[in-house]
């Protein structure tokens, strides 16, 4: 919380504190209106649950001439004081107001209309606004795959001539992560032959090979088999059939 000092008047201190709550603060205004509705139509039970505790808080915690004295010059606490508003059941108060008011209505249609109206008000005035989710996009790397592997997979996807390229990874961990990051990539086991070190030949069916930069012998074998290095990362080469 910023833009105010504890030396300001108590009322100014309170208003600036309230303004920090889900700015621009429409929701807290809606809650205040429905608190009145709940207190009038909800009976003693609702007043005991919401109204009386809030009156106590207003006289103590939210008293604009009391809490500045309690805070003193503790700037760290002052900057976070607005979080005390969390103890007020802001989301429950409108619900209680709508339910208590609807229960007093004699017919079902007015009850439905009141409920729909209340939901529309809360949806339109809440923070954040509903329209703020319109442009929300899911993160491309939801699996939190290795950054180098993500770059490699993007190279392969951009260069591949088919929708499901066959790729052989020298690193087993890259092969496992690649399947999760991009299921369209088909993993080949060509680099894990039982007879020892891999040695791809001209009959290889893989579209791409991803090898370590220090694997010089494997690099030579790939080049002699007609593969060409199309990209590289700090630790790996990406070879494609050419």
């Amino acid at each position: 919380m910023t833009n105010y000092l504890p030396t300001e008047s108590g009322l100014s201190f309170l208003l600036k504190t309230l303004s920090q709550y889900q700015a621009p603060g429409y929701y807290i205004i809606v809650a205040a209106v429905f608190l009145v509705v709940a207190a009038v139509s909800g009976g003693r039970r609702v007043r005991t649950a919401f109204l009386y505790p809030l009156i106590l808080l207003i006289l103590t915690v939210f008293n604009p001439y009391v809490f500045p004295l309690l805070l003193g010059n503790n700037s760290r606490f002052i900057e976070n004081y607005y979080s005390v508003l969390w103890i007020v059941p802001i989301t429950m108060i409108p619900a209680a107001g709508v339910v208590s008011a609807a229960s007093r209505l004699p017919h079902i249609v007015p009850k439905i209309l009141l409920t729909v109206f209340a939901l529309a008000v809360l949806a339109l005035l809440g923070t954040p606004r509903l329209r703020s989710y319109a442009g929300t996009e899911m993160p491309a790397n939801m699996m939190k795959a290795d950054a180098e592997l993500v770059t490699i997979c993007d190279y392969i996807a951009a260069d591949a001539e088919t929708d499901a390229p066959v790729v052989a990874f020298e690193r087993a961990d890259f092969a496992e992560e690649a399947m999760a990051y991009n299921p369209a990539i088909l993993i080949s086991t060509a680099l894990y032959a039982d007879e020892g070190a891999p040695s791809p030949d001209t009959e290889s069916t893989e579209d791409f090979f991803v090898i370590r930069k220090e694997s010089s012998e494997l690099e030579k074998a790939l080049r002699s088999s007609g593969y060409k290095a199309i990209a590289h990362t700090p630790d790996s080469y990406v070879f494609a059939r050419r």
Side-chain angles (χ1 to χ4, degrees):
M1 184 172 172
T2 57
N3 301 324
Y4 76 98
L5 299 171
T7 55
E8 293 182 83
S9 68
L11 183 59
S12 174
F13 189 99
L14 176 62
L15 293 177
K16 288 189 176 182
T17 299
L18 293 176
S19 68
Q20 298 291 324
Y21 185 83
Q22 293 192 345
Y26 297 138
Y27 202 85
I28 199 170
I29 296 174
V30 171
V33 172
F34 278 107
L35 177 64
V36 176
V37 174
V40 173
S41 61
R44 182 177 179 181
R45 179 179 297 180
V46 173
R47 288 193 290 271
T48 302
F50 298 109
L51 182 60
Y52 300 149
L54 185 58
I55 291 176
L56 180 61
L57 290 173
I58 291 174
L59 294 175
T60 55
V61 177
F62 301 125
N63 188 319
Y65 299 100
V66 172
F67 66 74
L69 298 177
L70 298 177
L71 298 181
N73 293 320
N74 191 333
S75 59
R76 181 179 179 183
F77 188 72
I78 291 172
E79 291 175 357
N80 294 279
Y81 186 76
Y82 72 97
S83 62
V84 178
L85 287 169
W86 295 345
I87 66 178
V88 180
I90 299 294
T91 56
M92 297 176 64
I93 291 174
V98 172
V99 172
S100 60
S103 65
R104 293 295 186 92
L105 297 175
H107 303 292
I108 187 65
V109 174
K111 293 181 179 181
I112 294 176
L113 292 177
L114 175 61
T115 303
V116 171
F117 172 75
L119 292 175
V121 169
L122 297 177
L124 294 175
L125 300 183
T127 303
R129 301 295 181 86
L130 286 179
R131 63 173 177 267
S132 66
Y133 296 102
T136 302
E137 297 181 358
M138 298 298 291
N141 187 13
M142 292 183 62
M143 304 300 296
K144 302 299 182 182
D146 184 278
E148 182 178 4
L149 175 65
V150 171
T151 302
I152 290 172
C153 289
D154 290 345
Y155 278 139
I156 292 172
D159 190 81
E161 297 178 354
T162 65
D163 294 332
V166 180
V167 183
F169 288 89
E170 184 179 6
R171 289 179 53 177
D173 58 332
F174 271 15
E176 294 174 358
E177 283 194 65
M179 289 187 292
Y181 175 71
N182 187 350
I185 293 178
L186 304 180
I187 305 301
S188 168
T189 59
L191 297 183
Y192 304 99
D194 295 334
E195 56 268 19
S199 55
D201 52 35
T202 55
E203 297 180 356
S204 296
T205 59
E206 287 73 25
D207 298 300
F208 298 91
F209 280 86
V210 180
I211 66 172
R212 305 174 190 268
K213 281 188 173 180
E214 59 267 24
S215 300
S216 57
E217 294 299 323
L218 182 54
E219 179 183 350
K220 293 179 182 178
L222 287 171
R223 293 184 185 278
S224 64
S225 298
Y227 287 85
K228 180 180 179 181
I230 62 167
H232 65 88
T233 62
D235 299 315
S236 305
Y237 285 122
V238 179
F239 280 83
R241 182 187 295 278
R242 288 293 184 266

